Short mmCIF file of all heavy atoms in Angstrom, two decimals:
data_model
loop_
_atom_site.label_atom_id
_atom_site.label_comp_id
_atom_site.label_asym_id
_atom_site.label_seq_id
_atom_site.Cartn_x
_atom_site.Cartn_y
_atom_site.Cartn_z
N MET A 273 0.75 -1.24 -0.06
CA MET A 273 -0.01 -0.05 0.00
C MET A 273 0.85 1.22 -0.03
O MET A 273 1.78 1.49 0.80
CB MET A 273 -0.93 -0.01 1.25
CG MET A 273 -1.75 1.21 1.38
SD MET A 273 -2.89 1.49 2.72
CE MET A 273 -2.13 0.57 4.03
N LYS A 274 0.50 2.19 -0.92
CA LYS A 274 1.25 3.41 -0.96
C LYS A 274 0.56 4.52 -0.16
O LYS A 274 -0.60 4.68 -0.38
CB LYS A 274 1.51 3.83 -2.43
CG LYS A 274 2.24 5.07 -2.57
CD LYS A 274 2.36 5.50 -4.01
CE LYS A 274 3.07 6.82 -4.14
NZ LYS A 274 2.57 7.71 -5.18
N ILE A 275 1.28 5.14 0.70
CA ILE A 275 0.73 6.19 1.57
C ILE A 275 1.41 7.49 1.12
O ILE A 275 2.68 7.70 1.06
CB ILE A 275 0.99 5.98 3.05
CG1 ILE A 275 0.16 4.68 3.55
CG2 ILE A 275 0.40 7.13 3.84
CD1 ILE A 275 0.41 4.21 4.91
N SER A 276 0.58 8.46 0.80
CA SER A 276 1.21 9.83 0.46
C SER A 276 0.50 10.80 1.31
O SER A 276 -0.62 10.77 1.78
CB SER A 276 1.04 10.06 -0.95
OG SER A 276 -0.31 10.19 -1.30
N THR A 277 1.34 11.96 1.48
CA THR A 277 0.74 13.01 2.32
C THR A 277 0.94 14.31 1.42
O THR A 277 2.06 14.43 0.86
CB THR A 277 1.65 13.25 3.63
OG1 THR A 277 1.46 11.98 4.35
CG2 THR A 277 1.07 14.29 4.52
N SER A 278 0.09 15.29 1.49
CA SER A 278 0.27 16.53 0.90
C SER A 278 -0.26 17.68 1.78
O SER A 278 -1.32 17.47 2.52
CB SER A 278 -0.37 16.64 -0.49
OG SER A 278 -1.74 16.39 -0.43
N LEU A 279 0.25 18.71 1.84
CA LEU A 279 -0.15 19.87 2.51
C LEU A 279 -0.64 21.10 1.59
O LEU A 279 0.01 21.18 0.48
CB LEU A 279 0.93 20.58 3.35
CG LEU A 279 1.53 19.69 4.50
CD1 LEU A 279 2.70 20.33 5.08
CD2 LEU A 279 0.45 19.46 5.53
N MET A 280 -1.78 21.63 1.83
CA MET A 280 -2.37 22.71 0.95
C MET A 280 -2.43 23.92 1.96
O MET A 280 -2.78 23.81 3.01
CB MET A 280 -3.66 22.39 0.47
CG MET A 280 -3.58 21.17 -0.58
SD MET A 280 -5.23 20.54 -1.17
CE MET A 280 -5.56 19.47 0.18
N LEU A 281 -2.19 25.09 1.34
CA LEU A 281 -2.36 26.29 2.07
C LEU A 281 -3.31 27.16 1.32
O LEU A 281 -3.03 27.41 0.03
CB LEU A 281 -0.85 27.04 2.15
CG LEU A 281 -0.90 28.36 2.80
CD1 LEU A 281 -1.40 28.30 4.16
CD2 LEU A 281 0.37 29.03 2.69
N GLY A 282 -4.31 27.59 1.90
CA GLY A 282 -5.35 28.48 1.24
C GLY A 282 -6.54 28.31 1.84
O GLY A 282 -6.78 27.74 2.99
N ASP A 283 -7.52 28.91 1.28
CA ASP A 283 -9.11 28.83 1.82
C ASP A 283 -9.59 27.50 1.44
O ASP A 283 -9.65 27.07 0.38
CB ASP A 283 -9.87 29.93 1.11
CG ASP A 283 -11.29 30.10 1.57
OD1 ASP A 283 -11.85 28.92 2.05
OD2 ASP A 283 -11.72 31.14 1.70
N CYS A 284 -10.00 26.72 2.56
CA CYS A 284 -10.39 25.36 2.35
C CYS A 284 -11.57 25.22 1.38
O CYS A 284 -11.71 24.20 0.59
CB CYS A 284 -10.63 24.66 3.70
SG CYS A 284 -12.00 25.42 4.61
N LYS A 285 -12.40 26.25 1.26
CA LYS A 285 -13.58 26.22 0.36
C LYS A 285 -13.15 26.07 -1.08
O LYS A 285 -13.81 25.54 -1.83
CB LYS A 285 -14.43 27.31 0.61
CG LYS A 285 -15.16 27.39 1.96
CD LYS A 285 -16.27 28.43 2.04
CE LYS A 285 -15.74 29.86 1.94
NZ LYS A 285 -14.97 30.30 3.10
N GLU A 286 -11.92 26.67 -1.30
CA GLU A 286 -11.46 26.69 -2.67
C GLU A 286 -10.52 25.44 -2.88
O GLU A 286 -10.55 24.69 -3.79
CB GLU A 286 -10.64 28.04 -3.01
CG GLU A 286 -11.49 29.22 -2.97
CD GLU A 286 -12.67 29.15 -3.85
OE1 GLU A 286 -12.59 28.64 -5.03
OE2 GLU A 286 -13.73 29.49 -3.48
N GLU A 287 -9.57 25.26 -1.97
CA GLU A 287 -8.58 24.20 -2.07
C GLU A 287 -9.23 22.80 -2.17
O GLU A 287 -8.81 22.00 -2.89
CB GLU A 287 -7.63 24.18 -0.76
CG GLU A 287 -6.90 25.43 -0.73
CD GLU A 287 -5.87 25.63 -1.91
OE1 GLU A 287 -5.33 24.55 -2.41
OE2 GLU A 287 -5.54 26.67 -2.30
N LEU A 288 -10.31 22.54 -1.44
CA LEU A 288 -10.95 21.22 -1.39
C LEU A 288 -11.56 20.85 -2.69
O LEU A 288 -11.71 19.68 -2.96
CB LEU A 288 -11.95 21.18 -0.31
CG LEU A 288 -11.41 21.06 1.17
CD1 LEU A 288 -12.58 21.29 2.19
CD2 LEU A 288 -10.77 19.77 1.42
N LYS A 289 -11.91 21.96 -3.51
CA LYS A 289 -12.52 21.58 -4.79
C LYS A 289 -11.46 20.86 -5.76
O LYS A 289 -12.07 20.24 -6.67
CB LYS A 289 -12.93 22.91 -5.54
CG LYS A 289 -14.15 23.58 -4.91
CD LYS A 289 -14.56 24.94 -5.47
CE LYS A 289 -15.59 25.51 -4.71
NZ LYS A 289 -15.83 26.95 -5.07
N GLY A 290 -10.22 21.07 -5.46
CA GLY A 290 -9.22 20.40 -6.27
C GLY A 290 -8.83 19.09 -5.81
O GLY A 290 -7.94 18.37 -6.43
N VAL A 291 -9.31 18.51 -4.78
CA VAL A 291 -9.06 17.16 -4.28
C VAL A 291 -9.85 16.15 -4.86
O VAL A 291 -11.18 16.29 -4.91
CB VAL A 291 -9.29 17.22 -2.71
CG1 VAL A 291 -8.87 15.72 -2.13
CG2 VAL A 291 -8.43 18.11 -1.98
N LYS A 292 -9.26 15.12 -5.36
CA LYS A 292 -9.95 14.02 -6.08
C LYS A 292 -10.86 13.29 -5.03
O LYS A 292 -10.46 13.06 -3.86
CB LYS A 292 -9.12 12.98 -6.79
CG LYS A 292 -8.42 13.49 -8.06
CD LYS A 292 -7.79 12.29 -8.75
CE LYS A 292 -6.64 11.85 -7.85
NZ LYS A 292 -5.83 10.74 -8.41
N GLY A 293 -12.06 12.80 -5.46
CA GLY A 293 -13.03 11.98 -4.70
C GLY A 293 -12.28 10.72 -4.36
O GLY A 293 -11.46 10.28 -5.08
N ASN A 294 -12.72 10.13 -3.23
CA ASN A 294 -12.30 8.86 -2.91
C ASN A 294 -10.80 8.77 -2.71
O ASN A 294 -10.12 7.80 -3.01
CB ASN A 294 -12.80 7.75 -3.87
CG ASN A 294 -12.79 6.41 -3.16
OD1 ASN A 294 -12.95 6.36 -1.94
ND2 ASN A 294 -12.64 5.40 -3.88
N SER A 295 -10.19 9.91 -2.31
CA SER A 295 -8.65 9.99 -2.20
C SER A 295 -8.21 10.27 -0.79
O SER A 295 -6.98 10.30 -0.57
CB SER A 295 -8.11 10.90 -3.19
OG SER A 295 -8.57 12.22 -2.95
N VAL A 296 -9.13 10.43 0.10
CA VAL A 296 -8.75 10.92 1.49
C VAL A 296 -9.33 9.84 2.44
O VAL A 296 -10.46 9.49 2.30
CB VAL A 296 -9.35 12.30 1.77
CG1 VAL A 296 -9.13 12.68 3.27
CG2 VAL A 296 -8.90 13.32 0.80
N ASP A 297 -8.49 9.49 3.39
CA ASP A 297 -8.81 8.52 4.47
C ASP A 297 -9.28 9.18 5.77
O ASP A 297 -9.83 8.64 6.66
CB ASP A 297 -7.72 7.50 4.66
CG ASP A 297 -7.43 6.61 3.43
OD1 ASP A 297 -8.48 6.16 3.00
OD2 ASP A 297 -6.33 6.49 3.10
N LEU A 298 -8.62 10.34 6.04
CA LEU A 298 -8.66 11.10 7.31
C LEU A 298 -8.71 12.47 7.25
O LEU A 298 -7.87 13.07 6.44
CB LEU A 298 -7.67 10.49 8.34
CG LEU A 298 -7.68 11.27 9.59
CD1 LEU A 298 -8.86 10.73 10.59
CD2 LEU A 298 -6.31 10.87 10.42
N ILE A 299 -9.72 13.20 7.77
CA ILE A 299 -9.60 14.57 7.94
C ILE A 299 -9.56 15.00 9.34
O ILE A 299 -10.35 14.58 10.12
CB ILE A 299 -10.89 15.33 7.26
CG1 ILE A 299 -10.99 14.94 5.78
CG2 ILE A 299 -10.91 16.78 7.48
CD1 ILE A 299 -12.24 15.29 5.05
N PHE A 300 -8.51 15.73 9.74
CA PHE A 300 -8.32 16.31 11.16
C PHE A 300 -8.37 17.81 11.03
O PHE A 300 -7.56 18.31 10.30
CB PHE A 300 -6.99 15.86 11.56
CG PHE A 300 -6.62 16.22 13.00
CD1 PHE A 300 -7.07 15.30 14.04
CD2 PHE A 300 -5.92 17.27 13.18
CE1 PHE A 300 -6.73 15.54 15.32
CE2 PHE A 300 -5.69 17.70 14.57
CZ PHE A 300 -6.00 16.76 15.61
N THR A 301 -9.33 18.44 11.66
CA THR A 301 -9.45 19.86 11.52
C THR A 301 -9.70 20.56 12.85
O THR A 301 -9.95 20.02 13.94
CB THR A 301 -10.68 20.16 10.53
OG1 THR A 301 -10.73 21.54 10.22
CG2 THR A 301 -12.00 19.66 11.21
N SER A 302 -9.30 21.83 12.87
CA SER A 302 -9.61 22.58 13.90
C SER A 302 -10.22 23.95 13.62
O SER A 302 -9.49 24.95 13.28
CB SER A 302 -8.24 22.97 14.60
OG SER A 302 -8.39 23.80 15.64
N PRO A 303 -11.48 23.91 13.15
CA PRO A 303 -12.08 25.07 12.63
C PRO A 303 -12.20 26.23 13.65
O PRO A 303 -12.10 26.00 14.77
CB PRO A 303 -13.47 24.63 12.17
CG PRO A 303 -13.72 23.45 13.14
CD PRO A 303 -12.32 22.75 13.37
N PRO A 304 -12.54 27.57 13.09
CA PRO A 304 -12.61 28.63 14.00
C PRO A 304 -13.59 28.36 14.98
O PRO A 304 -14.64 27.70 14.87
CB PRO A 304 -12.99 29.70 13.10
CG PRO A 304 -12.40 29.34 11.78
CD PRO A 304 -12.58 27.85 11.66
N TYR A 305 -13.46 28.86 16.18
CA TYR A 305 -14.51 28.83 17.32
C TYR A 305 -15.46 30.07 16.99
O TYR A 305 -15.06 31.18 16.58
CB TYR A 305 -13.80 29.03 18.63
CG TYR A 305 -12.67 28.18 18.85
CD1 TYR A 305 -11.36 28.69 18.76
CD2 TYR A 305 -12.71 26.86 19.25
CE1 TYR A 305 -10.25 27.93 18.95
CE2 TYR A 305 -11.70 25.99 19.40
CZ TYR A 305 -10.41 26.50 19.24
OH TYR A 305 -9.36 25.89 19.45
N ALA A 306 -16.76 29.78 17.29
CA ALA A 306 -17.68 30.82 17.08
C ALA A 306 -17.54 31.84 18.20
O ALA A 306 -17.91 31.76 19.36
CB ALA A 306 -19.14 30.16 17.19
N ASP A 307 -16.83 32.89 17.77
CA ASP A 307 -16.76 34.18 18.55
C ASP A 307 -15.89 33.94 19.85
O ASP A 307 -15.42 34.99 20.52
CB ASP A 307 -18.13 34.70 19.03
CG ASP A 307 -18.45 35.81 18.09
OD1 ASP A 307 -17.70 36.04 17.08
OD2 ASP A 307 -19.52 36.44 18.48
N SER A 308 -15.69 32.70 20.44
CA SER A 308 -14.81 32.72 21.67
C SER A 308 -13.42 32.96 21.61
O SER A 308 -12.80 33.27 22.76
CB SER A 308 -15.11 31.24 22.24
OG SER A 308 -14.59 30.19 21.53
N ARG A 309 -12.77 33.08 20.52
CA ARG A 309 -11.29 33.51 20.48
C ARG A 309 -11.28 34.59 19.42
O ARG A 309 -10.32 34.62 18.54
CB ARG A 309 -10.44 32.29 20.06
CG ARG A 309 -10.44 31.22 21.09
CD ARG A 309 -9.31 31.23 22.02
NE ARG A 309 -9.55 30.28 23.10
CZ ARG A 309 -9.06 29.02 23.16
NH1 ARG A 309 -8.37 28.55 22.17
NH2 ARG A 309 -9.22 28.28 24.14
N LYS A 310 -12.04 35.54 19.53
CA LYS A 310 -12.19 36.56 18.45
C LYS A 310 -10.94 37.30 18.23
O LYS A 310 -10.57 37.55 17.12
CB LYS A 310 -13.39 37.60 18.81
CG LYS A 310 -13.92 38.32 17.74
CD LYS A 310 -15.13 39.14 18.16
CE LYS A 310 -15.80 39.72 16.90
NZ LYS A 310 -17.09 40.24 17.13
N ASN A 311 -10.26 37.62 19.25
CA ASN A 311 -9.06 38.49 19.14
C ASN A 311 -7.90 37.66 18.54
O ASN A 311 -7.09 38.28 17.98
CB ASN A 311 -8.63 38.97 20.56
CG ASN A 311 -9.64 40.02 21.00
OD1 ASN A 311 -10.43 40.60 20.35
ND2 ASN A 311 -9.64 40.14 22.36
N THR A 312 -7.91 36.35 18.60
CA THR A 312 -6.85 35.50 18.08
C THR A 312 -7.13 35.19 16.78
O THR A 312 -6.20 35.24 15.72
CB THR A 312 -6.67 34.26 18.92
OG1 THR A 312 -6.49 34.73 20.24
CG2 THR A 312 -5.31 33.62 18.53
N TYR A 313 -8.39 34.69 16.34
CA TYR A 313 -8.55 33.90 15.12
C TYR A 313 -9.70 34.75 14.36
O TYR A 313 -10.06 34.32 13.25
CB TYR A 313 -9.14 32.55 15.40
CG TYR A 313 -8.05 31.73 15.95
CD1 TYR A 313 -8.17 31.18 17.22
CD2 TYR A 313 -6.78 31.44 15.43
CE1 TYR A 313 -7.37 30.32 17.90
CE2 TYR A 313 -5.89 30.56 15.99
CZ TYR A 313 -6.16 30.07 17.23
OH TYR A 313 -5.27 29.30 17.80
N GLY A 314 -10.14 35.79 14.79
CA GLY A 314 -11.18 36.48 14.19
C GLY A 314 -12.53 35.91 14.66
O GLY A 314 -12.54 34.88 15.37
N GLY A 315 -13.62 36.52 14.28
CA GLY A 315 -14.85 36.09 14.85
C GLY A 315 -15.94 35.71 14.00
O GLY A 315 -15.94 36.09 12.76
N LEU A 316 -16.77 34.70 14.34
CA LEU A 316 -17.94 34.44 13.61
C LEU A 316 -19.14 34.31 14.61
O LEU A 316 -18.96 33.50 15.65
CB LEU A 316 -17.67 33.01 12.91
CG LEU A 316 -18.72 32.59 11.82
CD1 LEU A 316 -18.56 33.50 10.74
CD2 LEU A 316 -18.42 31.10 11.52
N HIS A 317 -20.13 35.01 14.40
CA HIS A 317 -21.22 34.97 15.36
C HIS A 317 -21.79 33.52 15.45
O HIS A 317 -21.99 32.88 14.31
CB HIS A 317 -22.25 35.95 15.04
CG HIS A 317 -23.32 36.07 16.11
ND1 HIS A 317 -24.46 35.28 16.25
CD2 HIS A 317 -23.40 37.02 17.18
CE1 HIS A 317 -25.21 35.67 17.26
NE2 HIS A 317 -24.49 36.70 17.87
N PRO A 318 -22.20 33.00 16.66
CA PRO A 318 -22.78 31.69 16.72
C PRO A 318 -23.94 31.40 15.80
O PRO A 318 -24.10 30.32 15.22
CB PRO A 318 -23.13 31.45 18.25
CG PRO A 318 -22.16 32.37 18.89
CD PRO A 318 -21.96 33.58 17.93
N ASP A 319 -24.76 32.50 15.60
CA ASP A 319 -25.83 32.25 14.67
C ASP A 319 -25.54 32.11 13.19
O ASP A 319 -26.32 31.66 12.37
CB ASP A 319 -26.86 33.56 14.80
CG ASP A 319 -27.61 33.61 16.09
OD1 ASP A 319 -27.45 32.57 16.88
OD2 ASP A 319 -28.00 34.71 16.40
N GLU A 320 -24.30 32.51 12.91
CA GLU A 320 -23.85 32.42 11.47
C GLU A 320 -22.96 31.02 11.26
O GLU A 320 -22.60 30.84 10.21
CB GLU A 320 -22.98 33.57 11.10
CG GLU A 320 -23.78 34.89 11.16
CD GLU A 320 -22.87 36.13 11.06
OE1 GLU A 320 -21.61 35.87 10.98
OE2 GLU A 320 -23.35 37.24 11.23
N TYR A 321 -22.69 30.49 12.33
CA TYR A 321 -21.67 29.36 12.28
C TYR A 321 -22.13 28.27 11.37
O TYR A 321 -21.42 27.76 10.52
CB TYR A 321 -21.39 28.78 13.77
CG TYR A 321 -20.05 28.04 13.75
CD1 TYR A 321 -18.94 28.75 13.87
CD2 TYR A 321 -20.06 26.72 13.51
CE1 TYR A 321 -17.68 28.06 13.89
CE2 TYR A 321 -18.76 26.02 13.65
CZ TYR A 321 -17.68 26.77 13.76
OH TYR A 321 -16.61 25.99 13.83
N VAL A 322 -23.33 27.73 11.35
CA VAL A 322 -23.77 26.52 10.69
C VAL A 322 -23.80 26.97 9.28
O VAL A 322 -23.30 26.12 8.44
CB VAL A 322 -25.20 26.00 11.25
CG1 VAL A 322 -25.65 25.02 10.22
CG2 VAL A 322 -25.02 25.50 12.67
N GLY A 323 -24.33 28.04 8.95
CA GLY A 323 -24.31 28.53 7.47
C GLY A 323 -22.96 28.65 6.91
O GLY A 323 -22.72 28.42 5.80
N TRP A 324 -22.00 29.13 7.76
CA TRP A 324 -20.65 29.15 7.27
C TRP A 324 -19.97 27.70 7.08
O TRP A 324 -19.23 27.60 6.09
CB TRP A 324 -19.76 29.95 8.37
CG TRP A 324 -18.28 30.02 8.09
CD1 TRP A 324 -17.61 30.74 7.19
CD2 TRP A 324 -17.33 29.15 8.68
NE1 TRP A 324 -16.25 30.41 7.20
CE2 TRP A 324 -16.01 29.51 8.21
CE3 TRP A 324 -17.38 28.06 9.68
CZ2 TRP A 324 -14.96 28.77 8.59
CZ3 TRP A 324 -16.24 27.37 10.09
CH2 TRP A 324 -15.00 27.78 9.43
N PHE A 325 -20.23 26.83 7.98
CA PHE A 325 -19.57 25.56 7.92
C PHE A 325 -20.19 24.55 6.95
O PHE A 325 -19.62 23.66 6.43
CB PHE A 325 -19.54 24.87 9.45
CG PHE A 325 -18.52 23.74 9.39
CD1 PHE A 325 -17.24 24.00 9.31
CD2 PHE A 325 -19.02 22.49 9.70
CE1 PHE A 325 -16.30 22.97 9.29
CE2 PHE A 325 -18.16 21.34 9.61
CZ PHE A 325 -16.84 21.63 9.49
N GLU A 326 -21.48 24.74 6.72
CA GLU A 326 -22.19 23.85 5.81
C GLU A 326 -21.57 23.81 4.50
O GLU A 326 -21.32 22.50 4.01
CB GLU A 326 -23.69 24.28 5.60
CG GLU A 326 -24.52 23.14 5.21
CD GLU A 326 -25.96 23.61 5.15
OE1 GLU A 326 -26.36 24.60 4.93
OE2 GLU A 326 -26.85 22.71 5.57
N PRO A 327 -21.31 24.63 3.75
CA PRO A 327 -20.53 24.45 2.38
C PRO A 327 -19.28 23.77 2.58
O PRO A 327 -18.77 23.06 1.65
CB PRO A 327 -20.39 25.85 1.69
CG PRO A 327 -20.78 26.80 2.87
CD PRO A 327 -21.54 26.08 3.94
N ILE A 328 -18.43 24.09 3.56
CA ILE A 328 -17.24 23.46 4.00
C ILE A 328 -17.35 21.91 4.15
O ILE A 328 -16.66 21.05 3.56
CB ILE A 328 -16.42 24.13 5.03
CG1 ILE A 328 -16.06 25.54 4.75
CG2 ILE A 328 -15.25 23.26 5.49
CD1 ILE A 328 -15.57 26.47 5.82
N SER A 329 -18.37 21.57 4.99
CA SER A 329 -18.60 20.23 5.31
C SER A 329 -19.13 19.47 4.02
O SER A 329 -18.66 18.31 3.81
CB SER A 329 -19.80 19.93 6.43
OG SER A 329 -21.00 20.52 5.95
N LYS A 330 -19.79 20.12 3.06
CA LYS A 330 -20.09 19.36 1.76
C LYS A 330 -18.77 19.08 1.04
O LYS A 330 -18.72 18.07 0.57
CB LYS A 330 -21.11 20.31 0.92
CG LYS A 330 -22.41 20.26 1.49
CD LYS A 330 -23.43 20.85 0.49
CE LYS A 330 -24.84 20.68 1.16
NZ LYS A 330 -25.54 21.94 1.41
N GLU A 331 -17.88 20.00 0.87
CA GLU A 331 -16.68 19.77 0.32
C GLU A 331 -15.78 18.68 0.99
O GLU A 331 -15.16 17.86 0.37
CB GLU A 331 -15.72 21.14 0.25
CG GLU A 331 -16.28 22.13 -0.63
CD GLU A 331 -16.36 21.81 -2.13
OE1 GLU A 331 -15.64 20.78 -2.51
OE2 GLU A 331 -17.05 22.30 -2.80
N LEU A 332 -16.04 18.42 2.31
CA LEU A 332 -15.15 17.47 3.08
C LEU A 332 -15.80 16.12 2.79
O LEU A 332 -15.00 15.11 3.13
CB LEU A 332 -15.39 17.77 4.50
CG LEU A 332 -14.60 19.02 5.11
CD1 LEU A 332 -14.95 19.09 6.66
CD2 LEU A 332 -13.09 18.84 4.93
N GLN A 333 -16.95 16.00 2.20
CA GLN A 333 -17.48 14.61 1.87
C GLN A 333 -16.71 13.87 0.86
O GLN A 333 -16.52 12.72 0.77
CB GLN A 333 -18.94 14.62 1.46
CG GLN A 333 -19.80 15.16 2.72
CD GLN A 333 -21.22 15.34 2.33
OE1 GLN A 333 -21.73 14.91 1.27
NE2 GLN A 333 -21.96 16.02 3.28
N LEU A 334 -16.08 14.76 -0.05
CA LEU A 334 -15.01 14.19 -1.06
C LEU A 334 -15.43 12.84 -1.74
O LEU A 334 -14.57 11.99 -1.76
CB LEU A 334 -13.73 14.05 -0.34
CG LEU A 334 -12.92 15.30 0.09
CD1 LEU A 334 -11.80 15.13 0.87
CD2 LEU A 334 -12.71 16.11 -1.10
N ASN A 335 -16.72 12.69 -2.13
CA ASN A 335 -17.09 11.47 -2.58
C ASN A 335 -16.73 11.36 -4.21
O ASN A 335 -16.56 12.26 -4.78
CB ASN A 335 -18.61 11.15 -2.55
CG ASN A 335 -19.01 10.86 -1.10
OD1 ASN A 335 -18.18 10.18 -0.40
ND2 ASN A 335 -20.08 11.46 -0.65
C1 SAM B 181 -9.23 27.68 15.97
S1 SAM B 181 -8.00 28.17 14.79
C2 SAM B 181 -6.94 26.72 14.66
C3 SAM B 181 -5.96 26.80 15.68
C4 SAM B 181 -4.85 25.77 15.46
N1 SAM B 181 -5.28 24.30 15.41
C5 SAM B 181 -3.78 25.93 16.45
O1 SAM B 181 -3.50 25.14 17.24
O2 SAM B 181 -3.32 27.09 16.46
C6 SAM B 181 -8.84 28.16 13.29
C7 SAM B 181 -7.96 28.39 12.06
O3 SAM B 181 -8.77 28.34 10.86
C8 SAM B 181 -8.31 29.23 9.83
N2 SAM B 181 -9.42 29.31 8.85
C9 SAM B 181 -10.52 30.02 9.01
N3 SAM B 181 -11.27 30.01 7.89
C10 SAM B 181 -10.57 29.28 7.00
C11 SAM B 181 -10.81 28.75 5.68
N4 SAM B 181 -11.85 29.04 4.97
N5 SAM B 181 -9.80 27.98 5.21
C12 SAM B 181 -8.65 27.66 5.76
N6 SAM B 181 -8.37 27.92 7.05
C13 SAM B 181 -9.28 28.74 7.64
C14 SAM B 181 -7.99 30.34 10.75
O4 SAM B 181 -7.06 31.20 9.96
C15 SAM B 181 -7.43 29.97 11.93
O5 SAM B 181 -5.99 29.69 11.80
#
């Protein structure tokens, strides 16, 4: 079995579009916290969080 690793730098909503389906075994992520670390990572109001994450989670399905 061949195992390969690659790192991508950019907006995940764009970068994930270039990843082939059925090519990823594991996704490990640390997405922004809704408003709780606003000064460090920027903020996203909790009411906007699901709407922000939904298109990203669709890209993460990578089928
Ligand atoms: C909670 S922090 C991650 C903290 C990191 N795990 C650490 O230990 O320092 C969330 C990170 O997601 C990044 N981020 C936010 N929106 C992003 C996006 N659309 N694509 C890629 N990274 C994003 C932010 O720049 C921030 O660095």
Side-chain angles (χ1 to χ4, degrees):
M273 175 177 33
K274 183 180 174 213
I275 297 175
S276 63
T277 303
S278 64
L279 295 175
M280 292 174 278
L281 177 63
D283 185 324
C284 63
K285 293 190 292 296
E286 298 306 317
E287 296 295 327
L288 288 168
K289 289 177 184 166
V291 178
K292 280 192 297 183
N294 202 25
S295 65
V296 174
D297 294 314
L298 175 70
I299 296 170
F300 182 89
T301 183
S302 175
Y305 310 102
D307 265 2
S308 61
R309 300 260 170 91
K310 197 170 186 167
N311 292 338
T312 308
Y313 299 116
L316 191 67
H317 192 275
D319 291 344
E320 298 167 6
Y321 199 85
V322 172
W324 172 81
F325 195 66
E326 198 171 40
I328 295 172
S329 67
K330 284 192 176 122
E331 292 294 339
L332 291 175
Q333 291 174 17
L334 294 170
N335 290 319

